[in-house]
Amino acid sequence: MRPLGRRAFPPALLVIALASLSTQPATAHIVLGNRPLQLLVADADVVARARIVDTRGIPAASGLESQRPTVGALLLEVLKGDVPLAEVRFAQHGHGVASYEPGEEVLLFLQRIERSRELGALAGTEIPYVSLQEHDEKYLIPRNESPIVLAAVRAYARAERIPDAKKRIAALRQVTLTLLGSGDPRLATSAVKTLALAAEVPLVTRDDLPVLLPLLDDTSLPVGVRLGLLVELERRALLADRARWAALLKSTTGSDRTAVIRAAGRHPSADVLAALLALLQGKDEDAAREAAIALGWPGNAAAVQPLDAAMASEDRGLRMAAIRGLGGIGSQDARRALEKASLTHPDPATRRRARAEAIRLSGAATSSPR
Amino acid sequence: MPIPTSTPHRTRLLLMLACACALPLVGTQAQAQDEDQDQDPDQLRVGVCQRDITPISPNLASAYEAAFGETAVVNHTDPIFMAGFGDNRRATDYNDRLWARGVVIEGDGGRIAIVSLDVVGYLNGEVDTIRSMVSPDAGVDYIVVHSTHQHEGPDTIGIWGPDPLTSGIDFGYLDFVNATVADCIDEAADGLQKARIKFATTDSIGLSLGTDVEDDGLGVADGKVLVDDDLISPATDGRIANPRLSIMQLTERGGQKDVLATLVNFASHPESLGSGNTQITSDFPHYARERLEEEYGGVAIWVSADLGVLQGPLDIDVLDPDTGMPAVRRTFRWAEVHGEQLAERVIGAIPTMPGRPVASLAFATTKPVPIRLDNPYFRFFIALGVLNPRLTLYTDGVPDDSVGFPFPPPFDSIPQALGEDVQTEVGAFRINEASFAVVPSELDPQIGETYRQAMVGAEHTFIIGLGNDEIGYQLPAPKWDDSCHACAPFILASVPEFCEFFPNIDCNTVFQNNVGQEVDPEVGAAIVPLIDALHDGP
């Protein structure tokens, strides 16, 4: 793991950062999926509330119009950047671009076109900007409303201009807490992603736990957000309550429970083990299958016999899941159970799958080269 | 716009390599035929297979039957989350089916299997499961399972679920695919017959209109210009694309020499439908395969090449022959036009003379290849159970699923994964005058070109990208830009000016979904010696 590169650090921020460092040194971070809202604001040269005017392609010299979408928008409020309230045109570029309709009121995150290595050739044309937004980074602003996202973006933009580092961090903490508690799934997700990316920056602290802990039980939030927040609070050493995982296993249902089961398997404890074993042996077939896989953490000796028994289930899906679980445990006992099933199980597909898992465990799966 | 005549050296090299190999190899073919006389004529045998791996959920079973007129057998739970773009994109219908299509080739030197899957990616742990399920009687020495990287199928990796932090994987579907692919290989191995083999190389130059600022008329665009690429290719503002189409065709030995399989290797993301589509499809490769099978029969197999760092179709325009106008982007008509034009280019390149009845095979693999995981966000996703849990971590080459408790009391009961590296594999093989590199990544074509240059003496070169794994983008090591990652905490603390990389911070998307900056050095260090060992290299 590598330390962060840094220039001279303002003393106040350095104190804050050092005080909140965990015992693990910081590492480089990669964004999986789209950027959190704060990074969008940081990357943009212009952030604005705007009304979409039109969308069209770009005429080419050949007379044929390129199908690359460009969008005309009237800026209604500029939240970042020094630009007038006027009509602008921007190009779109990216893996999956947002689609716009005339009349929509939206948030725009724009970059000057000359900063784009791909579209810089459009500099000096009628298209001075490129949108930073991917397809699910479109933010519609309902008319006559001031949604939380607008307040958050204003706050992020304002925070960039706060000269005092401590006050800036305090402002960002407030935005983070607001987004987490907003009830808006996308905004809460953005805040969790910000936390995961921000290393040890104290965007939440122990003082915020009274606000954050109820969110873990807030069923109106997507389960992924709740789990992500739990994982982050643990990673930041703000929470040591291992019983929460078992409690979530018992309280969630349906697809939420599937997500909890998968995550719980990465956070083993005696309580989690007991809860997963109960699901494995319960009547809910979907939960039983997921539990079988989740029980497959390395060396989980207590799950070998229950998973071995599950291989005898009439439910084919559970048999296959139990095989995956035993493969995840990887112990000698697990391997013996798989080998036995590969020889004696009455179902040929189960024998084949068990044999494959035993082979995979032995490391002999790769076809040997000549 | 067409390629300028004064093209910088590197791009000329690309074009020369792309075009020269398309020239008829008359003299070479005659010499090879003389050599064949001395070899065992029964040596080359080939088997082919194709299996339907379309995900079918209870809610979509009737849609499947309506679309294809075949009985639906449910193999996936509801909903089917679609991979490749954002989260919570749920399949609503089908345009065409997804396939596992493969060949088993036996020659002097062994037996290899190449199977291509119409999915976004397939992790190494699942590939190992497939290998272990293939019957020992199949006698295959080296199995390659490739993903085309299409963006309109089910989530097989785990990062495209109902929300950004919840997996979309259905493990039952993965079990179905594993068994199906193993069956496919067994079937192909069981059906080996005497065959002939031939190769060709052409390119996609001229297939796109060049009307877009990012389109150089190559039939594929470079969607991400890396730092200093403009120095390598100033005439194209740094856009460096690989338009090569590499082709392998297998026919029956005698009689009418019916085509058994046509394999096409091309470096373009199969994602032309874009992020708004909710119909399951294999994208433009479907139409290319249909046209090739219409022409030749047999099984057409699409294998994506060095498509990394955003080589793809999203920034090009193609002419719809029906209207005489550019096809509307992100439509099935666009995919159809592009697929068919690629197929026509391939058809025009395959020589009519019979292929060789013999095959000299050689291959080499390295497994494991450790790559340091410089990506705490991956760890976060692993901790959430989002990524397929078969992503094992290792330390110093030893499986390390251990957890530690690095925090001081009272938090010393909070586990942290301690493994440092992920592990993957690489491979390379030769078949007669053709050479193949098997890489686990979405390989940048600049790197792909260096691997091809290492294939000394090979007349046709193939890059099998996303081969036996999917570890994300592989950028050239000197072009890795760590600014966004290193500066993320500073950016998020709103003090980017205190990061050493300020103001040149690049938070572009190619640095997402990346194991880290060690990918290129480690993969290169593993595969180049393999390529060298199979050729007349150092």
Side-chain angles (χ1 to χ4, degrees):
Chain A
M1 294 188 177
R2 296 169 289 114
L4 290 172
R6 58 191 67 186
R7 287 186 183 179
F9 217 100
L13 192 55
L14 181 60
V15 169
I16 294 169
L18 286 175
S20 59
L21 278 177
S22 74
T23 57
Q24 288 188 323
T27 64
H29 295 263
I30 313 290
V31 176
L32 253 176
N34 293 330
R35 284 156 295 197
L37 200 57
Q38 189 181 358
L39 268 187
L40 266 180
V41 173
D43 282 352
D45 295 314
V46 173
V47 180
R49 185 169 59 90
R51 183 174 304 125
I52 302 299
V53 175
D54 64 61
T55 63
R56 57 174 166 84
I58 306 173
S62 62
L64 294 172
E65 187 176 88
S66 166
Q67 295 285 309
R68 172 179 296 280
T70 70
V71 183
L74 175 65
L75 301 185
L76 302 174
E77 179 188 356
V78 177
L79 306 169
K80 177 180 174 181
D82 184 19
V83 291
L85 295 180
E87 196 168 312
V88 299
R89 181 158 294 277
F90 62 90
Q92 292 184 283
H93 180 268
H95 200 216
V97 296
S99 60
Y100 295 101
E101 298 292 330
E104 285 181 330
E105 204 166 298
V106 296
L107 270 176
L108 295 178
F109 301 83
L110 306 176
Q111 199 174 65
R112 289 191 306 277
I113 200 94
E114 55 267 24
R115 289 182 61 192
S116 167
R117 287 202 191 101
E118 293 76 30
L119 301 181
L122 290 174
T125 68
E126 58 161 350
I127 308 166
Y129 296 105
V130 57
S131 167
L132 292 175
Q133 292 155 267
E134 298 278 351
H135 94 285
D136 54 359
E137 290 176 336
K138 176 180 173 181
Y139 292 94
L140 272 175
I141 307 294
R143 286 179 194 264
N144 303 317
E145 287 184 37
S146 191
I148 292 176
V149 65
L150 198 52
V153 169
R154 285 191 182 116
Y156 282 138
R158 267 200 306 270
E160 289 184 4
R161 299 190 293 269
I162 297 175
D164 180 81
K166 278 182 77 171
K167 288 181 180 168
R168 199 179 306 168
I169 291 281
L172 292 170
R173 261 183 65 201
Q174 199 49 52
V175 179
T176 303
L177 291 173
T178 301
L179 291 180
L180 286 170
S182 66
D184 184 309
R186 192 161 53 152
L187 298 180
T189 301
S190 175
V192 171
K193 289 167 82 170
T194 299
L195 284 177
L197 278 171
E200 280 70 45
V201 178
L203 295 181
V204 293
T205 69
R206 203 158 292 139
D207 292 341
D208 303 317
L209 286 178
V211 171
L212 296 174
L213 290 180
L215 299 178
L216 300 179
D217 301 316
D218 182 355
T219 55
S220 69
L221 281 178
V223 70
V225 172
R226 295 157 63 197
L227 293 173
L229 182 58
L230 178 55
V231 165
E232 270 303 298
L233 291 178
E234 288 191 340
R235 187 185 70 80
R236 286 168 177 265
L238 296 177
L239 200 64
D241 184 1
R242 306 301 294 147
R244 285 195 175 268
W245 288 100
L248 280 170
L249 282 168
K250 291 183 178 130
S251 65
T252 48
T253 58
S255 57
D256 279 7
R257 187 170 54 184
T258 298
V260 175
I261 291 171
R262 292 183 181 186
R266 314 297 299 180
H267 297 263
S269 69
D271 289 342
V272 165
L273 174 65
L276 288 176
L277 286 175
L279 289 170
L280 174 69
Q281 290 151 353
K283 291 190 169 56
D284 186 326
E285 288 182 349
D286 289 338
R289 291 177 201 159
E290 292 289 342
I293 298 172
L295 283 162
W297 67 74
N300 184 14
V304 172
Q305 192 281 326
L307 288 172
D308 191 4
M311 281 199 289
S313 169
E314 287 184 0
D315 176 15
R316 182 177 185 276
L318 180 55
R319 297 200 299 271
M320 297 299 154
I323 291 171
R324 274 186 186 266
L326 287 166
I329 294 172
S331 64
Q332 290 288 350
D333 285 342
R335 196 166 145 190
R336 272 194 283 274
L338 290 166
E339 286 168 351
K340 178 166 140 273
S342 74
L343 294 171
T344 64
H345 199 284
D347 172 46
T350 303
R351 289 200 302 272
R352 183 194 199 192
R353 184 66 183 88
R355 176 177 175 277
E357 196 65 25
I359 292 174
R360 197 185 68 82
L361 279 183
S362 71
T366 305
S367 305
S368 56
R370 299 235 179 135
Chain B
M1 65 185 74
I3 301 296
T5 51
S6 58
T7 315
H9 170 72
R10 189 174 184 85
T11 309
R12 274 204 297 271
L13 184 61
L14 274 170
L15 294 176
M16 285 166 60
L17 285 169
C19 298
C21 296
L23 296 174
L25 303 167
V26 174
T28 308
Q29 193 76 12
Q31 180 186 0
Q33 284 175 344
D34 288 339
E35 292 169 351
D36 293 345
Q37 304 283 349
D38 301 325
Q39 300 197 42
D40 180 354
D42 293 338
Q43 180 190 88
L44 170 59
R45 295 196 300 158
V46 167
V48 297
C49 69
Q50 68 174 48
R51 294 292 177 102
D52 183 350
I53 59 168
T54 310
I56 306 170
S57 69
N59 285 351
L60 291 181
S62 56
Y64 179 92
E65 291 181 354
F68 308 119
E70 293 192 12
T71 304
V73 179
V74 170
N75 55 34
H76 199 295
T77 54
D78 280 303
I80 299 172
F81 291 107
M82 294 179 72
F85 293 101
D87 51 89
N88 205 28
R89 186 167 61 121
R90 303 180 182 211
T92 59
D93 204 343
Y94 301 92
N95 182 76
D96 54 272
R97 285 182 277 192
L98 308 185
W99 296 96
R101 291 164 175 241
V103 290
V104 172
I105 303 173
E106 176 188 85
D108 177 24
R111 193 182 283 185
I112 66 168
I114 308 166
V115 182
S116 174
L117 308 182
D118 287 325
V119 294
V120 71
Y122 219 63
L123 296 179
N124 192 242
E126 303 300 331
V127 172
D128 277 348
T129 298
I130 290 171
R131 287 165 165 162
S132 302
M133 294 178 78
V134 172
S135 168
D137 295 339
V140 181
D141 298 296
Y142 181 37
I143 294 173
V144 177
V145 179
H146 156 79
S147 306
T148 63
H149 199 41
Q150 59 89 278
H151 281 39
E152 311 292 344
D155 183 4
T156 48
I157 301 292
I159 56 177
W160 291 284
D163 64 69
L165 305 178
T166 304
S167 171
I169 276 190
D170 175 359
F171 287 107
Y173 176 72
L174 296 189
D175 288 335
F176 159 75
V177 171
N178 293 343
T180 301
V181 175
D183 289 343
C184 193
I185 295 171
D186 283 345
E187 175 192 332
D190 196 46
L192 291 173
Q193 58 181 296
K194 296 178 198 172
R196 291 177 177 272
I197 188 168
K198 54 184 166 180
F199 299 93
T201 300
T202 182
D203 58 64
S204 58
I205 296 171
L207 294 186
S208 55
L209 295 172
T211 47
D212 190 290
V213 66
E214 288 188 84
D215 179 8
D216 297 304
L218 299 180
V220 59
D222 178 3
K224 173 59 182 170
V225 174
L226 299 171
V227 66
D228 290 341
D229 278 358
D230 54 337
L231 301 179
I232 297 172
S233 182
T236 58
D237 296 325
R239 292 180 300 278
I240 299 172
N242 171 21
R244 180 185 280 101
L245 283 153
S246 302
I247 307 148
M248 174 174 74
Q249 192 169 68
L250 301 148
T251 70
E252 291 177 341
R253 171 74 58 82
Q256 300 298 314
K257 299 184 184 59
D258 289 343
V259 170
L260 297 171
T262 307
L263 184 150
V264 178
N265 188 219
F266 184 55
S268 180
H269 278 65
E271 59 178 12
S272 71
L273 270 302
S275 53
N277 170 58
T278 57
Q279 295 187 49
I280 298 283
T281 173
S282 42
D283 212 287
F284 66 81
H286 161 67
Y287 297 99
R289 292 190 302 230
E290 283 215 319
R291 180 66 191 97
L292 289 170
E293 289 176 358
E294 180 189 46
E295 180 73 19
Y296 296 115
V299 174
I301 302 171
W302 194 266
V303 174
S304 294
D306 37 351
L307 50 59
V309 200
L310 306 182
Q311 287 231 152
L314 289 175
D315 299 309
I316 64 173
D317 293 304
V318 296
L319 191 70
D320 187 334
D322 287 353
T323 63
M325 298 294 290
V328 177
R329 291 187 187 180
R330 294 173 172 74
T331 64
F332 283 104
R333 178 58 186 158
W334 195 102
E336 183 178 17
V337 169
H338 188 51
E340 288 183 353
Q341 66 179 182
L342 288 168
E344 295 296 343
R345 189 60 66 90
V346 168
I347 291 166
I350 297 177
T352 53
M353 65 178 62
R356 295 177 65 187
V358 296
S360 178
L361 284 176
F363 46 86
T365 69
T366 295
K367 180 181 169 90
V369 176
I371 301 174
R372 190 179 72 213
L373 178 56
D374 280 335
N375 188 338
Y377 211 56
F378 268 21
R379 296 180 190 272
F380 173 61
F381 267 32
I382 293 170
L384 276 180
V386 173
L387 280 173
N388 185 335
R390 286 190 190 273
L391 195 67
T392 306
L393 299 180
Y394 297 78
T395 301
D396 295 329
V398 178
D400 184 358
D401 287 309
S402 68
V403 295
F405 302 92
F407 299 122
F411 303 106
D412 50 345
S413 61
I414 298 173
Q416 296 282 288
L418 297 182
E420 288 289 324
D421 306 324
V422 296
Q423 289 195 345
T424 187
E425 65 173 87
V426 299
F429 58 95
R430 296 192 69 167
I431 307 176
N432 295 349
E433 68 269 31
S435 288
F436 299 73
V438 184
V439 294
S441 55
E442 299 169 53
L443 185 70
D444 185 87
Q446 293 181 54
I447 309 172
E449 198 54 37
T450 65
Y451 295 169
R452 294 178 198 271
Q453 289 177 17
M455 297 172 180
V456 176
E459 294 166 25
H460 305 277
T461 59
F462 296 71
I463 303 282
I464 299 180
L466 293 97
N468 301 320
D469 207 347
E470 159 59 321
I471 63 170
Y473 296 117
Q474 181 177 343
L475 306 175
K479 294 177 188 269
W480 176 267
D481 187 333
D482 206 41
S483 61
C484 187
H485 317 133
C487 296
F490 295 89
I491 297 168
L492 293 164
S494 284
V495 288
E497 62 272 21
F498 293 106
C499 184
E500 64 178 317
F501 296 101
F502 183 84
N504 299 311
I505 299 175
D506 185 350
C507 276
N508 196 275
T509 147
V510 298
F511 301 108
Q512 301 176 24
N513 302 323
N514 205 313
V515 169
Q517 63 181 321
E518 292 301 309
V519 172
D520 187 41
E522 295 293 350
V523 171
I527 198 169
V528 171
L530 297 184
I531 297 173
D532 287 343
L534 294 176
H535 300 80
D536 296 326

